[in-house]
Amino acid sequence: MTVAASGPMFSPWEIPFSYHGSWFGFSPVVAEGTYAEEVHLVSHQSGMHAVMKLIPETAAAITATPHRLTWQDGERLIDLAYESVDTVRVRGRGLGLRLLAADPVLTPFSGPYFYQDPVDGSYVFTLYQTGRRYRITLLGGRAEHLGAQVLGAAERGIRLSGEWEIAVEEYETARAPYAAQNSFDQVVKAARAEFEAFAEAVAPWRGNRTPAAELAAYVLWSATVRPAGFVTRPAVLMSKHWMDKVWSWDHCFNAIALAAGLPGLAWDQYRLPFDHQDASGALPDSITHSEVLYNFVKPPVHGWALRHLPAAPDDVYPLLERWTIFWLTARRVPGHELPHYQHGNDSGWDNATTFDTERVVQSADLAAFLILQLRELARLAPDQAASGRWSAQADRMRDALLAELWDGERFVARGVLSGRSWSSSSLLDLMPIVLGKELPRPVRAALAAGIERHLTAFGLATESPDSPHYLDDGYWRGPIWAPSTVLIEDGLRRAGYTDLADEISSRFRALCEMAGFAENFDARTGQGLRDRAYTWTAAAYLHLAAAHVRRTSSSARARRGRLSSP
């Protein structure tokens, strides 16, 4: 029996082939912006490290579905599938394969050592960079080993030909010899069932109107890792390319996409940075397997995110309270109502033109996010007195935002040390639309008009396309990003600008359906930029698509109801 291909097909040059819970994947992307000629096994333990390269004996076309990676040369095939989070099975049918160490140089402190284990006859790489072992067990056919026990520079690995099958495992120090419990086709069938269950949970509404939903679900499913190192919970990394971290605002968008179907996993995403909350209440900038960085923070979108999640567990209130107090104490000058960023990185919009004049600034987006967070604390507060205090603080900050940063036409940023104010052509200056109808009507109207000027055929440019500072691949100085799209679409909808919100949602969904789930997109061409398998982009698509399906289904039911009325 051969398991038929099903599910979305994709190229590992765009999206790594991986598995829910695994710390490694298969991709030619071996470092930031670096593409090898061959697919590699790439581990994300102790950083991103190419472990071994897989080289078929002849040129072969490579395709992937969520449950199988295939090299094909005519009738000759190599198939690879995950058996578990740390084990893959690989089978050859007439097409040979070399599995070689990605790095040919072994030194006393780096590189791969390769040997044949006399206990079970398997072949093992030990790799300094990951601190892990990679065992190859022959299940059928014959293997020729290369470079076993050789020191220094050498070609290390095995060569397979004809009909063959192997298992490849990532592990720490030792484990029992590998013994196959299931056939290769059974392994493929099980992997397919696991992905399909995930897709059904997060996107049960998917269909012809949402053609990228299954691939978006795969991006999230395959980028999830099991707890290890500093990652204390099952975590959706931003990517299993080089953006292999969890940043302390990215996680909110992934949580939102998972919330309806997998609330437990969604709350794991939301809570993960709070597991590393420091004594001041600050969240880290980012978390990955082997490091937690505190040199910057990320914007307080966590109160906004709670509006899109199921009822918060009791422990969320004190976590959010401490995070908010950090901003009210460590990031406010005594006597000032408004908080400040210390650098553009704190905003998540690292190089936005808002920060060109100065970096230590009071900006309208930060105040708006904190107002929403204070409102959520008021809603979650354990008693009426606490709720009233948070509400009063939100009112004061809203009044200060309008009095100090609204100049009658636009929001400005203000240097905390200099006292100077300025405006920019960044979409970030329009972010206070997230406050919806809490803003006065003339302010809402001005923000909506400004947002519309940022709208290209593909979505919201982060820098106005007619700005002299606009760059097609300028990071936050032009390209379209998922989080800004979701935040602004939501704010416009709550501000009463539903037609504009609908148009922004439609264009972003069409962009993902055309160009995939890149980290960001050229606002003028729609081309995907930077890391090409970014989970918050996939999450944004799922969130917007689900909402679109709900709205259109509701409208259709309402029309049917009117038609059936006597």
Side-chain angles (χ1 to χ4, degrees):
M1 179 185 82
T2 300
V3 180
S6 68
M9 296 188 70
F10 59 92
S11 166
W13 267 255
E14 294 282 326
I15 300 170
F17 179 75
S18 192
Y19 183 81
H20 189 84
S22 180
W23 278 93
F24 65 88
F26 293 86
S27 169
V29 180
V30 295
E32 181 177 353
T34 304
Y35 290 75
E37 292 183 4
E38 309 90 1
V39 169
H40 284 60
L41 187 159
V42 179
S43 179
H44 297 274
Q45 300 201 66
S46 301
M48 179 186 185
H49 302 290
V51 177
M52 64 181 79
K53 51 189 175 182
L54 291 78
I55 308 171
E57 66 182 356
T58 61
I62 304 175
T63 57
T65 62
H67 53 277
R68 180 163 50 189
L69 178 63
T70 298
W71 292 256
Q72 184 166 6
D73 177 20
E75 297 297 313
R76 303 190 301 163
L77 299 170
I78 298 169
D79 287 320
L80 183 152
Y82 278 84
E83 182 173 72
S84 68
V85 295
D86 60 16
T87 303
V88 295
R89 295 271 288 273
V90 194
R91 179 180 68 180
R93 292 292 179 264
L95 185 57
L97 180 71
R98 287 183 295 153
L99 282 80
L100 303 177
D103 182 354
V105 180
L106 172 66
T107 78
F109 304 105
S110 67
Y113 173 61
F114 181 64
Y115 65 96
Q116 185 170 22
D117 191 335
V119 174
D120 60 4
S122 65
Y123 301 95
V124 181
F125 289 102
T126 70
L127 189 66
Y128 276 101
Q129 285 89 333
T130 65
R132 300 297 185 275
R133 295 166 185 259
Y134 301 86
R135 180 169 70 184
I136 304 169
T137 301
L138 186 65
L139 305 179
R142 297 181 61 184
E144 174 189 355
H145 67 78
L146 309 166
Q149 300 189 55
V150 173
L151 304 179
E155 187 175 72
R156 298 174 175 85
I158 66 169
R159 180 185 291 118
L160 301 152
S161 58
E163 306 285 313
W164 53 268
E165 186 173 344
I166 58 173
V168 181
E169 305 162 88
E170 181 182 54
Y171 63 104
E172 282 74 43
T173 305
R175 58 171 46 177
Y178 177 85
Q181 302 298 315
N182 294 296
S183 70
F184 184 88
D185 287 333
Q186 288 172 323
V187 167
V188 173
K189 184 177 180 181
R192 182 171 64 187
E194 288 193 32
F195 168 70
E196 288 174 349
F198 181 92
E200 182 62 24
V202 301
W205 38 262
R206 65 197 186 281
N208 293 336
R209 291 179 295 173
T210 56
E214 283 207 353
L215 189 57
Y218 174 75
V219 171
L220 289 173
W221 180 79
S222 64
T224 303
V225 294
R226 65 192 183 279
F230 288 113
V231 176
T232 50
R233 302 168 181 272
V236 182
L237 303 178
M238 288 311 103
S239 176
K240 279 185 182 169
H241 286 322
W242 61 86
M243 299 294 277
D244 55 352
K245 296 186 177 186
V246 176
W247 278 267
S248 291
W249 71 310
D250 310 42
H251 68 115
C252 289
F253 299 91
N254 288 338
I256 289 167
L258 296 168
L262 295 169
L265 185 58
W267 281 115
D268 279 333
Q269 305 321 300
Y270 187 87
R271 284 190 179 106
L272 175 60
F274 289 96
D275 290 345
H276 297 279
Q277 196 167 22
D278 75 8
S280 73
L283 299 183
D285 180 67
S286 64
I287 303 153
T288 192
H289 178 270
S290 298
E291 69 176 20
V292 181
L293 300 181
Y294 290 94
N295 53 321
F296 293 105
V297 293
K298 285 294 174 276
V301 298
H302 304 79
W304 168 85
L306 283 179
R307 297 174 176 225
H308 299 278
L309 295 174
D314 291 342
D315 68 337
V316 169
Y317 174 81
L319 300 174
L320 192 67
E321 180 182 42
R322 291 181 59 218
W323 175 222
T324 306
I325 289 171
F326 161 78
W327 287 98
L328 298 179
T329 54
R331 292 300 181 89
R332 286 202 301 187
V333 174
H336 286 226
E337 190 63 45
L338 296 176
H340 61 267
Y341 293 127
Q342 295 174 344
H343 186 278
N345 288 357
D346 288 342
S347 75
W349 294 52
D350 311 359
N351 66 333
T353 53
T354 301
F355 303 100
D356 278 2
T357 304
E358 296 178 28
R359 261 59 63 196
V360 182
V361 302
Q362 293 169 334
S363 64
D365 64 294
L366 174 55
F369 290 141
L370 271 179
I371 292 164
L372 292 178
Q373 196 148 295
L374 290 161
R375 298 292 185 209
E376 283 302 298
L377 285 170
R379 184 178 68 84
L380 296 172
D383 57 68
Q384 209 164 22
S387 179
R389 287 194 298 272
W390 292 124
S391 292
Q393 177 68 73
D395 290 344
R396 290 193 300 272
M397 191 170 291
R398 179 201 57 211
D399 293 346
L401 168 65
L402 293 168
E404 299 178 36
L405 298 184
W406 179 254
D407 72 358
E409 296 181 356
R410 61 180 64 83
F411 281 108
V412 298
R414 183 168 62 193
V416 181
L417 298 172
S418 70
R420 292 186 299 165
S421 296
W422 62 89
S423 62
S424 79
S425 48
S426 174
L427 185 65
L428 185 62
D429 292 6
L430 303 168
M431 189 56 72
I433 196 66
V434 296
L435 290 171
K437 291 188 176 178
E438 189 156 349
L439 293 171
R441 188 181 297 274
V443 176
R444 282 182 270 150
L447 292 176
I451 289 165
E452 194 161 12
R453 289 193 289 272
H454 281 257
L455 189 59
T456 73
F458 302 100
L460 288 172
T462 46
E463 179 75 10
S464 178
D466 59 7
S467 162
H469 305 294
Y470 175 91
L471 295 169
D472 288 330
D473 187 9
Y475 223 51
W476 292 97
R477 301 169 80 95
I480 296 165
W481 286 78
S484 50
T485 299
V486 169
L487 287 161
I488 286 176
E489 190 268 358
D490 177 66
L492 285 167
R493 202 170 292 285
R494 289 184 292 103
Y497 292 87
T498 55
D499 288 346
L500 181 54
D502 285 344
E503 189 61 32
I504 289 168
S505 171
S506 176
R507 293 189 192 188
F508 184 81
R509 288 182 282 111
L511 174 63
C512 293
E513 289 159 7
M514 175 190 78
F517 304 106
E519 184 179 355
N520 53 72
F521 303 88
D522 186 316
R524 294 198 280 210
T525 68
Q527 178 186 353
L529 301 171
R530 309 292 176 118
D531 193 307
R532 302 302 295 274
Y534 217 73
T535 54
W536 74 1
T537 310
Y541 178 86
L542 291 170
H543 171 63
L544 295 173
H548 171 68
V549 170
R550 285 195 301 270
R551 286 192 300 272
T552 54
S553 298
S554 177
S555 297
R557 286 194 299 271
R559 285 195 300 272
R560 288 196 298 269
R562 288 194 297 271
L563 290 172
S564 63
S565 298

